Amino acid sequence: MKRFNRLILWVVLSGLAGIAAFAGYALSPLRTEHSKAYRIEVNRILHQASQQEGPAFPLMFNASDYSYIRSMSWMDKDAEPLAIQRFFDGSGVKDSEEYIVKPIYLDERLSGFLRFSYEDGSSYIRGNVVLIVILLLILAAVTGLLLYVRAQIIRPFHKIEKLPYELAKGHLNPGMKESKSRFFGKFIWGLDLLRQTLDTQRQTNHRLEKDRQTLVASLSHELKTPVAAIKLYSSALSDGLYESEAKQRDCARLIGQKAEQIEHLIASIITTSVSSLQEVEIQSSEFYIRDWLQRAVHNHKERLDLLKIRLEIGGYQNKLLLGDPDKLLEVLDNIIENAIKYGDGTRIGITFEEEDFRQLIRIENSGVPIMANELPYIFTSFWRGSNAGDKQGNGLGLFICKQLLQKMGGDIFVEASGRGMCFVLVLRY
């Protein structure tokens, strides 16, 4: 900025000095004497004309012999009055020339009139004055252009030149005022928008990292309970505490359940520590409802039978659905796990409906539903309802379900009734 200010000052001072020098030369007294020099030549011609007949003298006039006189013409005194009048009015004289009329006397008698056309120095002076004014206007225009560049380009750029460096260092807090500059207005707005985006992204990353650390710590803590149970049951088996074969089978079954619980917790830890939900890839394909349902029933039938929970499957048409069948099984696993954990242990039902060219899969469980004012938060990460009590959980299951379904182009919502809870999966054909 300081260098540009010095440039403006140098241009103004140099321009004024140059114009002043030119004006001093062009308008000096030595130059303006040109305005009187033609009189000397006129007097010399008049002296020569008085020595001979007037009408013959103009014929011998040669303009190249004179510096200021350009032409000479004769008018006899006995000419018609109109011709004399036109002669005195300057008829035939160029617009760029001045003229003067002088009477010629021979033997003290008026013989006629000589008209001289000449270049007057005043036109030269006027030309120089016009040129000086033009130079001043050019200097003013250049100065105005430099001031405009300073105000519209240099100054806004000076304000933003340090912003990319600050952004690179991670200093995102200081904002920028909106600029109306036609050159940098959108650029400044874009930089400030970039700053806000980076700041938002940094806060989001910080929050996600904090959530991830919290979840890993929570899941790691939850591993202690099933591990302790497995150690207890395995010690009991190795020490021969259970003599009956039925008791040993029950103990082995409990060890299997705890191992399955550990598998789910480890999978959750891996998911949250290695990647985020936004990075989970969905392998969309077409699959039949019957094939998918058979896999789902096979995964849960034996466990539900051991828990004495009745699984009821409603009627359906064996349609082709669009989505990721493996991820859809994960969604169903989470919902059934919730139904086992928070339901009354009596019934889980799966029914099928169609609505607005979408396939709806309803998973219902009997039991006491959560409170109505808690329903809007049920798909929020790390949120647990008032019915959670001392049951283990991290509040991520339903959140993950919603994220997976939305990535498949579907959705999930919840309904509550006096008989229990109902989760509705929305899938595309």
Side-chain angles (χ1 to χ4, degrees):
M1 181 67 76
K2 292 182 179 179
R3 292 182 179 179
F4 197 79
N5 290 339
R6 287 197 293 267
L7 174 64
I8 296 176
L9 182 61
W10 181 85
V11 169
V12 172
L13 293 179
S14 300
L16 290 176
I19 293 173
F22 175 77
Y25 170 76
L27 304 179
S28 64
L30 293 177
R31 304 292 297 175
T32 55
E33 286 181 358
H34 176 80
S35 61
K36 301 179 180 179
Y38 76 95
R39 298 180 183 179
I40 298 175
E41 295 183 349
V42 169
N43 290 333
R44 182 157 57 94
I45 294 173
L46 289 176
H47 177 71
Q48 294 175 358
S50 63
Q51 305 299 321
Q52 54 185 296
E53 291 295 329
F57 182 77
L59 299 176
M60 297 182 292
F61 174 78
N62 186 3
S64 61
D65 295 335
Y66 302 93
S67 301
Y68 305 104
I69 303 301
R70 293 292 173 258
S71 65
M72 184 173 62
S73 57
W74 168 263
M75 177 60 65
D76 192 81
K77 69 178 182 64
D78 296 327
E80 296 181 358
L82 181 59
I84 295 175
Q85 180 65 37
R86 295 177 60 190
F87 184 79
F88 274 84
D89 290 341
S91 176
V93 179
K94 296 180 180 179
D95 293 337
S96 60
E97 298 177 347
E98 300 290 336
Y99 70 94
I100 185 173
V101 179
K102 294 290 186 177
I104 302 299
Y105 292 91
L106 294 175
D107 298 330
E108 299 183 353
R109 289 182 296 103
L110 179 64
S111 174
F113 305 94
L114 276 178
R115 185 178 67 188
F116 304 91
S117 61
Y118 59 90
E119 285 187 357
D120 191 0
S122 60
S123 60
Y124 173 81
I125 296 174
R126 287 195 298 271
N128 287 336
V129 171
V130 171
L131 181 58
I132 291 171
V133 172
I134 292 175
L135 292 176
L136 287 173
L137 291 176
I138 292 175
L139 178 62
V142 172
T143 304
L145 178 61
L146 291 175
L147 291 174
Y148 178 80
V149 170
R150 177 180 178 272
Q152 297 296 323
I153 299 179
I154 303 300
R155 182 178 294 172
F157 184 79
H158 183 69
K159 292 180 179 179
I160 64 176
E161 62 180 350
K162 295 182 179 179
L163 182 60
Y165 179 71
E166 295 296 327
L167 292 179
K169 292 173 63 178
H171 299 162
L172 306 177
N173 291 329
M176 297 189 65
K177 294 182 179 179
E178 183 179 357
S179 174
K180 296 182 180 180
S181 170
R182 60 181 299 183
F183 300 102
F184 290 98
K186 290 184 178 180
F187 181 66
I188 293 175
W189 175 80
L191 280 178
D192 193 56
L193 184 61
L194 173 62
R195 180 196 64 80
Q196 295 177 14
T197 302
L198 290 175
D199 189 38
T200 302
Q201 186 63 42
R202 183 174 67 176
Q203 294 178 10
T204 301
N205 291 339
H206 179 72
R207 178 179 56 80
L208 290 176
E209 182 61 27
K210 184 177 179 180
D211 291 346
R212 183 179 292 114
Q213 292 175 357
T214 302
L215 177 59
V216 171
S218 175
L219 294 176
S220 301
H221 179 75
E222 291 183 13
L223 281 172
K224 294 180 180 180
T225 301
V227 168
I230 289 176
K231 290 175 64 178
L232 178 64
Y233 293 138
S234 62
S235 297
L237 288 176
S238 63
D239 294 340
L241 296 180
Y242 301 119
E243 296 180 357
S244 67
E245 186 176 347
K247 198 67 175 178
Q248 292 175 357
R249 283 198 301 270
D250 290 340
C251 186
R253 178 177 55 80
L254 291 173
I255 290 176
Q257 290 181 358
K258 296 303 179 183
E260 185 179 352
Q261 184 178 353
I262 290 175
E263 288 180 353
H264 285 295
L265 290 173
I266 291 175
S268 298
I269 291 175
I270 294 174
T271 301
T272 55
S273 61
V274 176
S275 63
S276 66
L277 283 175
Q278 299 302 323
E279 298 173 351
V280 175
E281 294 185 1
I282 297 297
Q283 304 294 333
S284 291
S285 62
E286 292 183 337
F287 60 94
Y288 283 99
I289 294 179
R290 178 180 297 152
D291 296 337
W292 174 81
L293 189 59
Q294 287 176 351
R295 293 176 58 191
V297 171
H298 176 73
N299 291 344
H300 297 280
K301 178 66 175 173
E302 184 177 352
R303 183 184 178 194
L304 294 177
D305 288 342
L306 291 173
L307 295 173
K308 307 300 182 181
I309 298 176
R310 188 171 69 257
L311 178 62
E312 298 177 354
I313 308 295
Y316 60 90
Q317 293 183 1
N318 190 26
K319 292 184 176 180
L320 275 173
L321 300 182
L322 183 62
D324 189 330
D326 294 331
K327 298 300 180 184
L328 190 59
L329 279 177
E330 290 186 23
V331 172
L332 184 64
D333 290 345
N334 275 321
I335 295 175
I336 290 180
E337 187 67 31
N338 280 351
I340 294 172
K341 186 182 299 185
Y342 303 110
D344 61 3
T346 302
R347 171 186 173 274
I348 295 176
I350 302 177
T351 57
F352 300 85
E353 297 178 5
E354 295 180 33
E355 185 177 314
D356 295 334
F357 302 101
R358 291 290 187 270
Q359 179 66 54
L360 306 184
I361 302 178
R362 304 172 66 92
I363 302 103
E364 304 176 74
N365 67 273
S366 57
V368 179
I370 65 173
M371 299 175 63
N373 59 353
E374 294 181 331
L375 288 177
Y377 310 102
I378 196 169
F379 296 107
T380 305
S381 60
F382 301 103
W383 183 89
R384 304 190 71 193
S386 58
N387 62 339
D390 57 354
K391 297 181 179 67
Q392 295 181 355
N394 50 55
L396 272 180
L398 294 178
F399 171 74
I400 293 175
C401 290
K402 192 171 187 67
Q403 298 296 315
L404 292 176
L405 280 168
Q406 288 181 344
K407 289 178 74 69
M408 283 188 277
D411 206 348
I412 181 175
F413 58 92
V414 62
E415 296 175 351
S417 65
R419 297 175 299 174
M421 298 288 295
C422 177
F423 290 92
V424 183
L425 312 184
V426 182
L427 297 169
R428 294 184 298 166
Y429 291 147

